[in-house]
Amino acid sequence: MESKGSWTVADAVDYNGLPADKSKTGGWITAALILGIEVVERLSTMGIAVNLVTYLMETMHLPSSTSANIVTDFMGTSFLLCLLGGFLADSFLGRFKTIAIFSTIQALGTGALAVATKLPELRPPTCHHGEACTPATAFQMTFLYIALYLIALGTGGLKSSISGFGSDQFDDKDPKEKAQMAYFFNRFFFIISMGTLMAVTVLVYIQDEVGRSWAYGICTVSMAIAIAVFLSGTKSYRYKKSQGSPVVQIFQIIAAAIRKRKTELPQSIVYLYEDTPEALRIEHTDQFRMLDKAAVVTEGDIEQTLDGIGIPNPWKLSSVTKVEEVKMMVRLLPIWATTIIFWTTYAQMITFSVEQAATMRRNVGNFQIPAGSLTVFFVAAILITLAFYDRVIMPFWKKWKGTPGFSSLQKIAIGLVLSTAGMAAAAIVEQMRLSVAKSSTQKTLPISVFLLVPQFFLVGAGEAFIYTGQLDFFITQSPKGMKTMSTGLFLTTLSLGFFVSSFLVSIVKKVTATSASGGWLADNINHGRLDRFYWLLVILSAINFVVYTICALWFKPTKGKDSEEMEKGKGFSVEDC
């Protein structure tokens, strides 16, 4: 007869706060209730992002560069707010409440956007090709910004908790449930990809041919249904208690190290403080020795409790293992910094590349492809690259090198190279497009939009490598207790990539514009030199790749039980996200 403990999950509770009963809570069917919110989030965010630039230019009558910056600022803020969502989930709300609250906020945002695109009072009067257009007023833009940033806030909260709450529904110590978790997450990425495909095809088509208010209204109703489905499983979910944010631990060690900055380090590391169980300790390293001072025992570091037991004040004294955990996070920073530029090139795929597509011939027979739907080639490139890597490259590499595929740092390097090639292809095509624009007065230029496919495909293939490489690297090379934070650190590269794009656009616009010319990034891209901006990104990406290579050669993984287990298990598992 099985013991009662075998029917409960050790680190999870049910809706009533009692140990979670495996027969009544969790499992992949319960976890599936969570997926609807993630699918709708992808549908809404990507459906808005890939086609927003055309709305800003054609309906709100904003300049090309301003429109591009609004989109990149929106996407950058969405990913940056993942840190806020993760902090709230880890420290205060828990994942269930975080998902419920932020999904509701996103629904309010898409609802507000539906209103903004429906009411004539919230957009400027229509104008035709060749006429002087009146730009949107401050009030109209303010309402639009409120809607967009409500969506960004909702997205940030959701992305930090959805996959984690899904993994909470499985007991990784139970072989049967561990297999179910693999089944669930194998379909997790596929379902998200389907949401993205629907966004860049069906939703973009509805925006252009039926009406944007209808498209955003569909997103709002879909999210309301997804929230209802999510809440229906409230009594069936497994809940894990918040363990606090690792940010506090980092600040504690930095504070202790600064406080003892004049203290001499001992001759031997055996004199440094260590209270971590033997099996969980991380081997001491000689890098960043300043932080080791947080583990030097000085007077006043140990405080007495009412029972007379001495315990260390975490703001004055930390164990060697905790110090090494912070060192592990510091070692990630050079790789983190040199992957930002990829997401800057990615930003061009949903801004200027869509603007290019809007000026080109997009007809297939009698059907006209929406400009925003060109990103379907981007999504297709990701799926094709992942399938090719899984079915061809991994088996070949295992036979040749004895390892199951490229390392995470090699994947990142491949992604950086492909994105650089994608920008070079974009620059060449833009030179061709501009030569046609000079000799044509038509709104739709007599040049095929399919010339843009190589840049979408190269950057999309690059994302397939760099996204999986980054996620693998940031999870496997971070301490076990800081994996949520390291995932958030990874997502900030996306955020900063979009913000760097906005910054570069603003600088280039200011430096190259003259009284006689709109510069490289003119209000009308047919009158600018977008190709030169793309070549600038090629040069920056090439320089960044050299710096990245140096950082990758410098990086040395920390030895410890966790890292050894990761190497044996080939590192990344999606349930850690």
Side-chain angles (χ1 to χ4, degrees):
M1 184 175 177
E2 291 185 277
S3 65
K4 185 177 179 180
S6 66
W7 288 99
T8 59
V9 183
D11 58 348
V13 296
D14 62 14
Y15 176 71
N16 296 312
L18 302 172
D21 188 329
K22 290 184 181 180
S23 64
K24 297 179 181 178
T25 62
W28 72 268
I29 295 177
T30 302
L33 299 176
I34 304 167
L35 283 179
I37 287 181
E38 178 62 15
V39 172
V40 178
E41 182 274 318
R42 286 289 80 202
L43 181 72
S44 302
T45 305
M46 292 307 297
I48 292 166
V50 300
N51 209 30
L52 180 60
V53 70
T54 59
Y55 178 75
L56 294 171
M57 292 177 60
E58 296 173 5
T59 304
M60 304 301 277
H61 307 151
L62 300 181
S64 168
S65 57
T66 303
S67 301
N69 280 359
I70 289 173
V71 176
T72 51
D73 288 345
F74 163 66
M75 292 297 288
T77 304
S78 297
F79 287 110
L80 187 63
L81 288 171
C82 291
L83 292 176
L84 173 64
F87 176 76
L88 292 175
D90 286 345
S91 303
F92 303 106
L93 299 175
R95 288 168 175 161
F96 174 79
K97 289 182 180 177
T98 301
I99 293 170
I101 291 170
F102 284 97
S103 58
T104 302
I105 290 173
Q106 189 181 57
L108 291 173
T110 52
L113 193 58
V115 172
T117 54
K118 177 65 176 177
L119 298 180
E121 294 82 5
L122 296 176
R123 59 180 186 270
T126 304
C127 70
H128 301 287
H129 182 58
E131 295 180 356
C133 300
T134 304
T137 65
F139 172 75
Q140 291 166 340
M141 290 305 300
T142 299
F143 194 92
L144 181 65
Y145 282 137
I146 290 172
L148 288 176
Y149 285 96
L150 279 174
I151 295 168
L153 179 60
T155 299
L158 290 177
K159 291 189 77 68
S160 59
S161 298
I162 286 283
S163 60
F165 193 58
S167 68
D168 289 346
Q169 306 313 307
F170 304 94
D171 182 5
D172 58 6
K173 298 178 180 63
D174 183 329
K176 182 180 178 181
E177 291 206 4
K178 194 169 185 179
Q180 289 179 339
M181 181 159 56
Y183 177 88
F184 171 75
F185 278 106
N186 283 341
R187 284 145 186 81
F188 182 77
F189 183 76
F190 175 78
I191 291 173
I192 292 175
S193 299
M194 290 302 101
T196 303
L197 276 175
M198 288 179 63
V200 301
T201 52
V202 177
L203 196 68
V204 169
Y205 179 80
I206 293 174
Q207 289 176 37
D208 285 0
E209 302 300 325
V210 180
R212 290 179 184 266
S213 59
W214 277 97
Y216 303 143
I218 289 171
C219 291
T220 305
V221 173
S222 298
M223 182 58 85
I225 294 171
I227 293 171
V229 171
F230 173 71
L231 294 177
S232 71
T234 300
K235 294 185 178 180
S236 301
Y237 294 133
R238 294 174 188 170
Y239 304 87
K240 294 189 178 181
K241 294 181 180 179
S242 301
Q243 298 179 343
S245 174
V247 174
V248 176
Q249 177 185 329
I250 293 173
F251 280 121
Q252 287 173 338
I253 289 169
I254 292 174
I258 292 174
R259 178 176 171 271
K260 300 175 186 177
R261 62 189 179 278
K262 296 182 180 180
T263 303
E264 293 291 329
L265 286 169
Q267 294 288 332
S268 172
I269 62 171
V270 298
Y271 297 108
L272 296 176
Y273 180 75
E274 180 62 280
D275 62 354
T276 308
E278 185 83 30
L280 301 177
R281 291 181 183 179
I282 298 175
E283 187 177 311
H284 177 267
T285 60
D286 290 330
Q287 285 181 311
F288 314 117
R289 295 293 303 275
M290 172 64 188
L291 294 176
D292 286 340
K293 294 186 177 184
V296 176
V297 181
T298 60
E299 186 178 353
D301 289 351
I302 307 295
E303 299 179 351
Q304 300 291 322
T305 64
L306 294 176
D307 299 329
I309 301 173
I311 59 172
N313 182 331
W315 290 96
K316 296 180 179 179
L317 181 65
S318 295
S319 67
V320 171
T321 293
K322 287 187 175 180
V323 171
E324 288 301 320
E325 287 179 340
V326 174
K327 286 184 181 182
M328 288 174 73
M329 296 301 292
V330 174
R331 288 189 193 97
L332 302 180
L333 295 181
I335 303 297
W336 169 82
T338 50
T339 53
I340 291 172
I341 192 68
F342 173 86
W343 300 104
T344 300
T345 61
Y346 171 95
Q348 313 317 310
M349 297 300 104
I350 59 172
T351 52
F352 288 123
S353 291
V354 176
E355 290 184 28
Q356 287 176 286
T359 68
M360 301 170 78
R361 191 174 63 245
R362 293 175 275 125
N363 293 83
V364 177
N366 294 323
F367 177 74
Q368 186 178 64
I369 303 171
S373 289
L374 261 292
T375 49
V376 72
F377 293 105
F378 187 84
V379 179
I382 295 172
L383 297 177
I384 291 170
T385 302
L386 289 174
F388 182 77
Y389 179 78
D390 185 53
R391 300 296 180 183
V392 179
I393 295 178
M394 285 184 68
F396 170 75
W397 207 254
K398 191 169 185 179
K399 286 182 180 180
W400 185 34
K401 294 287 188 179
T403 56
F406 302 131
S407 69
S408 56
L409 292 176
Q410 288 171 333
K411 286 181 180 179
I412 293 171
I414 293 169
L416 292 174
V417 170
L418 288 172
S419 68
T420 304
M423 279 294 95
I428 292 169
V429 172
E430 176 60 9
Q431 288 174 337
M432 296 168 59
R433 195 193 67 82
L434 285 175
S435 66
V436 173
K438 287 179 181 178
S439 59
S440 175
T441 57
Q442 301 175 44
K443 183 178 181 181
T444 301
L445 301 177
I447 182 172
S448 175
V449 76
F450 293 107
L451 288 172
L452 299 178
V453 170
Q455 65 199 59
F456 280 107
F457 201 89
L458 284 167
V459 178
E463 186 190 353
F465 279 107
I466 203 167
Y467 192 100
T468 55
Q470 278 186 286
L471 203 51
D472 188 357
F473 176 78
F474 282 103
I475 287 178
T476 60
Q477 300 304 323
S478 64
K480 190 173 183 179
M482 296 187 181
K483 294 194 185 301
T484 299
M485 179 182 174
S486 65
T487 304
L489 189 65
F490 152 59
L491 291 172
T492 60
T493 64
L494 281 74
S495 172
L496 292 175
F498 284 109
F499 286 134
V500 168
S501 177
S502 296
F503 173 76
L504 283 176
V505 167
S506 298
I507 293 296
V508 169
K509 174 79 173 174
K510 184 175 182 179
V511 170
T512 63
T514 64
S515 57
S517 168
W520 293 3
L521 304 176
D523 292 350
N524 184 327
I525 64 169
N526 290 341
H527 302 152
R529 291 303 304 268
L530 181 60
D531 57 318
R532 292 180 180 176
F533 179 69
Y534 283 163
W535 284 122
L536 173 64
L537 286 175
V538 171
I539 294 169
L540 293 176
S541 296
I543 295 171
N544 177 80
F545 180 75
V546 174
V547 177
Y548 168 79
T549 303
I550 295 170
C551 294
L553 292 171
W554 170 84
F555 179 81
K556 290 181 175 61
T558 299
K559 293 181 180 179
K561 185 178 178 184
D562 285 347
S563 59
E564 289 171 4
E565 288 177 352
M566 288 166 191
E567 288 175 9
K568 291 177 183 176
K570 59 176 192 179
F572 168 71
S573 60
V574 73
E575 59 264 25
D576 289 327
C577 302

